[in-house]
Amino acid sequence: MAITQDELDSLARIIPSLRRSMAEAIEEGDPLHGESLTVSRGGVEIPLWLHRPSKHLAPLLVYLHGGGFALGDARCADALLDWTCRAYDAFVLGINYRLAPEHPYPSALDDVVASISWCASHARELDTDPHRIYLMGFSAGADLALASAMRLRCRSDLTIAGIIAHYPFFDCATDPSRKGERTFDLPVAMMQAFNAWYCENHDPQDPFISPLYASADQLTGLPPAIIMPVIGDPLFHEADNLAVRMRDAGGICMLVPVDGAYHGYIEDAANERVYRAMESPEVIDARPHRYRETAGRSYVSALEMFLNRSEDAGSFAGFGEKGM
């Protein structure tokens, strides 16, 4: 059943409150390690959140947060991104792209493409390698990773060398009520609202909104990808289908299903304070309790497909020793 305008308006009214809860949890948490930078594009200010390694000519890992294109903040994963920077000697860039419903498509995608392009053109200043850029997206961020890779694939001044997609969202056209539902994953009404807000008046089958509908030509020449959907997640099948289509187009795409987790588990494990501020105790209690260990294994195994971990990296405390 399609969501009504009254339901959309009602859900839209709670978005500012959810964003405030997230911001307060970040501000009340541990001191942040990253640095803030703003990139200007066409009169738009794009906030970036940076972690710089000591290594010369480091690879660039772009972190694209989840949140249905309406929620999220790169600073939520600050501790994890800081550990990633040190553990893999990588320059880690979080992009706080514009959010719906105030800023529907293509605002978020434009911000991501502009930020990556800015980093490539300032590679010498940043001391990064513009031909070793990796995109790591979570949920809606995975959508942006694929879409921006399609946008940037013909650029000669930069190379997207790999894509990591955790519990990805790739299909804005299919009504979420037809994808199935688990009570501890994403509520159908909220998924419907996210889709409506992001698409607004655009065709939801536009491949840059829904990469699942990209043509074979658009998928040809994309970088190697690792897609890690959660078993049982309503979004699992679109990830599986896109992985098949990418391979059929001649690409390298590894599908790694993750069991014992739920939609959003890695970002929740990375910042428990934000997680508990955003979810009810009942929902938290219904979810798999060993998700932190699963998060550690999934997160590290994907990164190590592309990057080499330092011998003295240690483990990220948020995931626990067993998870790393």
Side-chain angles (χ1 to χ4, degrees), residues 198-221:
Y198 186 58
C199 287
E200 202 178 48
N201 297 320
H202 296 276
D203 179 3
Q205 290 191 14
D206 181 328
F208 293 102
I209 293 176
S210 300
L212 182 62
Y213 298 91
S215 67
D217 286 344
Q218 288 173 311
L219 295 175
T220 299

Side-chain angles (χ1 to χ4, degrees), residues 227 238-248 253-255:
I227 298 179
E238 60 205 67
D240 187 14
N241 291 341
L242 183 59
V244 171
R245 297 203 61 239
M246 291 177 72
R247 290 194 291 267
D248 287 347
C253 183
M254 181 181 298
L255 183 78

